[in-house]
Amino acid sequence: MMRLMRGMAEAVAPAFLPCGDSALVLQLGDCIDARVNADIFAIAAAVDAAAIPGLVEIVPSYRSLLVRYDPEIIRGRELEQRLAGFSRPGEGAGKKGRGWSIPVVYGGEVGQDLEEIAAMKDLSPEELVSLHSSVEYRVFMIGFAPGFAYLGGLPPILHTPRLQKPRQYVPAGSIGIGGQQASVNSVAGPSGWRFIGWTPIRVFDPQRAAPFLLAGGDRVRFTSIDPEAGERLAARAAAGETVIEPEEAA
Amino acid sequence: MSVEILAAGPMLTVQDAGRKGLRRFGVSTAGPMDGPAMALANALCGNASDAAALEFAGMGGRFSASCPIRFAVTGGDCDIRVEDRRVLPGESNRLNPGETLKVGAMGDAVWGYIAFAGGIDVPPVLGSRATHLRSGLGGFQGRALRVGAILPLGEDKTVDRCLRLANPLAPEAGGPIRIVLGPQDDYFSVDIIARLTQTEFTVTPQRDRMAMILAGAELPAARGHDTVSDATVPGSIQVPGSHQPMVLMAESQTTGGYPKIATVITPDLPRLAQLPVGARFRFAVVSREEAEEAVIARARTLRARLADLQAKPEGVLQSEYLLSCNLISGVFVSEEFVS
């Protein structure tokens, strides 16, 4: 949706911005745009592969890439020169992310905002569920909390402002809506987002060999399941079983 | 081998050098608020600088050990006692089973460190023993320590000697907290950027391991206070809609949606963290190159300092010890003279 609203005039030239003495930012834009985001993840993959000495880590986000470095090994100015070659990926440079189908038990205690949001939108709860599970979401970035995925692609009618007063406790696995974004909460904690259901899938599990389920650029669909099926899957997940597998990148 | 918590000061947590390389997965570095102080505490115990130790805010607590161990307290001046014997911060000392170690209030600093020889051996989570309080990750059950907690210690593989600095620590130079402008300084007018360095800021009580909120000057952003979220680093100065700047610290979240007017340089971030509530200071803008030079110089100084520890003479009467004794009221058994 955001891409359609974006005109050429909004395109911003790649820029290097200083971020203190041990990090810099490569910025490709200043808005939420799937194409800009795909370019960021393409650059991130290329930078990873280049293994530049002194580069400590990278953090890709919606529209920029943070690069942390060790100034005892490489200075910011030199690093910018090394990175300049990565800042204009070719068309289709980014590989398509993995596709995930995440089962959701809509409504209930965790999804306590389902009926209220439906009423706000003049929808039945069933229509809301059908809209929420009708589209493919893009993982724009992982941030805020361990494994927390910012999902873009929420149908515009479901865009809903955050709560005035955040709730102090929202369990891991809650399915949320915050503004134009959707989420699967990765850890329990306070949140001002609104919640319409829960998933038995653990998007973050530090005990697992691969603790983080989702990655930037991945695609996500939600499918409605009944509470009994949810409990069965939750028990399997608790026993350490792999409950869902991605559809591999095309 | 273990240490038991008999009383816990506020924010007593297990920390190590922090989680590395996981910010892209939303995982905060965590780790110490004053990294050089914790590295010194470890070095004084013969530990590697990334060993796990205790961090506390303001006041330490009381501790006992299941076996004879060495410990060191760093961060600032602090009242430290083994039973009633006063020992000094900034050097390692011995604690025997049955004795109580009391770590009192930091006089001139906020964050203190207690290292034990062998390091605290709680299980690593995502490659680190650092506690991240907000997500309940790592450390001891992912939380601050309370009375009754028993912390396992790693094997002490070093020569069993107590150490101290060859030369006492020079007091930390005062002066402004240095910053590099950006990455979103273009959200602010020239006047507001000038206000950032011309006004005195005050440390407010709204501070924790995640961030410090500053008072003193409002910094309204000409282009607004909502950006598309992007990555942050410890030291990022975010300015939310309150116009009050907020400096992100060790436990900061990895991404944020407020414009970041500047970044506190790495060597000055521990100094900012150690300022008490109510302290006033100024920011000074330096270039990225100057900031990088400062990082390199600080790293060299710290390495040299940690390489220059010396064994403490033991088994002889030390003046610090004599000064701490009540010489009038009694007779000391000889073992007590071994500090």
Side-chain angles (χ1 to χ4, degrees), chain A residues 12-59:
Chain A
V12 176
F16 285 107
L17 309 173
C19 188
D21 47 59
S22 306
L24 57 84
V25 175
L26 169 57
Q27 182 166 294
L28 292 191
D30 60 4
C31 56
I32 297 176
D33 180 304
R35 203 174 60 196
V36 168
N37 188 243
D39 285 350
I40 290 293
F41 280 93
I43 294 171
V47 172
D48 272 337
I52 299 169
L55 190 151
V56 174
E57 67 174 320
I58 60 174
V59 188

Side-chain angles (χ1 to χ4, degrees), chain A residues 17-18 20-21 30 48 57-58 61-64 66 68-69 71-72 75-77 80 141-142 144-147 212, chain B residues 21-27 126 182-183 228-231 254-255 263 265-266 288-289 291-293 295-296 299 303:
Chain A
L17 309 173
D21 47 59
D30 60 4
D48 272 337
E57 67 174 320
I58 60 174
S61 56
Y62 278 110
R63 43 68 188 245
S64 70
L66 179 90
R68 299 182 85 203
Y69 61 95
E72 287 197 275
R75 302 292 286 265
R77 181 186 294 273
E80 285 184 8
M141 69 172 189
I142 305 290
F144 175 67
F212 311 99
Chain B
L22 297 175
R23 295 183 77 87
R24 69 199 299 179
F25 301 111
V27 180
L126 300 175
V228 175
S229 292
D230 74 346
T254 58
T255 56
T263 313
I265 77 168
T266 307
R288 177 171 69 182
E289 287 70 27
E292 289 172 341
E293 292 295 342
V295 173
I296 294 165
R303 277 197 296 268

Side-chain angles (χ1 to χ4, degrees), chain B residues 169-282:
Chain B
L169 281 183
E172 184 78 54
I177 298 290
R178 290 166 290 176
I179 55 175
V180 176
L181 290 178
Q184 278 103 35
D185 51 321
D186 62 341
Y187 269 64
F188 300 85
S189 71
V190 174
D191 289 354
I192 298 300
I193 299 283
R195 192 179 292 176
L196 181 64
T197 53
Q198 287 165 0
T199 323
E200 210 167 47
F201 285 93
T202 309
V203 176
T204 73
Q206 290 167 279
R207 69 182 310 181
D208 59 13
R209 285 180 39 79
M210 188 178 177
M212 290 172 68
I213 295 177
L214 305 176
E218 301 222 319
L219 303 174
R223 288 176 58 194
H225 293 270
D226 285 307
T227 70
V228 175
S229 292
D230 74 346
T232 60
V233 295
S236 290
I237 306 179
Q238 291 187 324
V239 187
S242 67
H243 304 170
Q244 271 192 298
M246 178 197 305
V247 186
L248 300 186
M249 305 304 286
E251 198 176 290
S252 67
Q253 58 190 61
T254 58
T255 56
Y258 301 124
K260 298 176 279 293
I261 191 168
T263 313
V264 174
I265 77 168
T266 307
D268 286 2
L269 198 56
R271 187 154 63 90
L272 177 66
Q274 293 287 20
L275 289 179
V277 170
R280 294 169 171 219
F281 68 95
R282 286 178 189 273

Side-chain angles (χ1 to χ4, degrees), chain B residues 321-335:
Chain B
Y321 175 56
L322 272 177
L323 286 171
S324 72
C325 295
N326 177 349
L327 291 173
I328 297 169
S329 72
V331 174
F332 296 90
V333 291
S334 58
E335 294 90 285

Side-chain angles (χ1 to χ4, degrees), chain A residues 127-235:
Chain A
E127 287 170 324
L128 192 158
V129 167
S130 145
L131 274 165
H132 186 258
S133 53
S134 69
V135 293
E136 185 175 85
Y137 297 84
R138 174 184 174 81
V139 178
F140 274 92
M141 69 172 189
I142 305 290
F144 175 67
F148 183 91
Y150 287 86
L151 302 178
L154 185 71
I157 191 174
L158 297 184
H159 295 181
T160 312
R162 292 166 179 77
L163 296 172
Q164 291 277 350
K165 192 167 180 283
R167 291 192 179 100
Q168 280 311 298
Y169 180 82
V170 174
S174 301
I175 300 294
I177 289 176
Q180 305 175 22
Q181 302 167 112
S183 74
V184 185
N185 277 28
S186 56
V187 293
S191 175
W193 290 32
R194 298 177 196 250
F195 294 91
I196 59 172
W198 66 277
T199 179
I201 304 301
R202 297 176 176 202
V203 292
F204 170 61
D205 183 351
Q207 305 307 324
R208 205 162 51 200
F212 311 99
L213 194 74
L214 304 174
D218 281 1
R219 294 162 292 123
V220 171
R221 281 184 172 280
F222 295 113
T223 50
S224 178
I225 58 170
D226 60 47
E228 292 71 30
E231 295 299 343
R232 280 197 303 274
L233 285 173

Side-chain angles (χ1 to χ4, degrees), chain B residues 67-142:
Chain B
C67 57
I69 54 165
R70 286 164 298 141
F71 69 91
V73 182
T74 62
D77 281 336
C78 191
D79 186 60
I80 309 161
R81 285 168 200 270
V82 174
E83 295 298 297
D84 290 327
R85 281 181 285 130
R86 182 147 183 254
V87 301
L88 293 178
E91 59 178 41
S92 48
N93 286 285
R94 295 178 191 283
L95 179 67
N96 292 309
E99 292 178 325
T100 300
L101 164 64
K102 288 175 248 181
V103 180
M106 282 275 156
D108 57 347
V110 175
W111 302 98
Y113 297 88
I114 311 168
F116 297 97
I120 293 167
D121 194 24
V122 293
V125 175
L126 300 175
S128 162
R129 296 181 170 89
T131 311
H132 188 259
L133 292 169
R134 266 179 82 87
S135 59
L137 216 59
F140 182 82
Q141 300 172 3

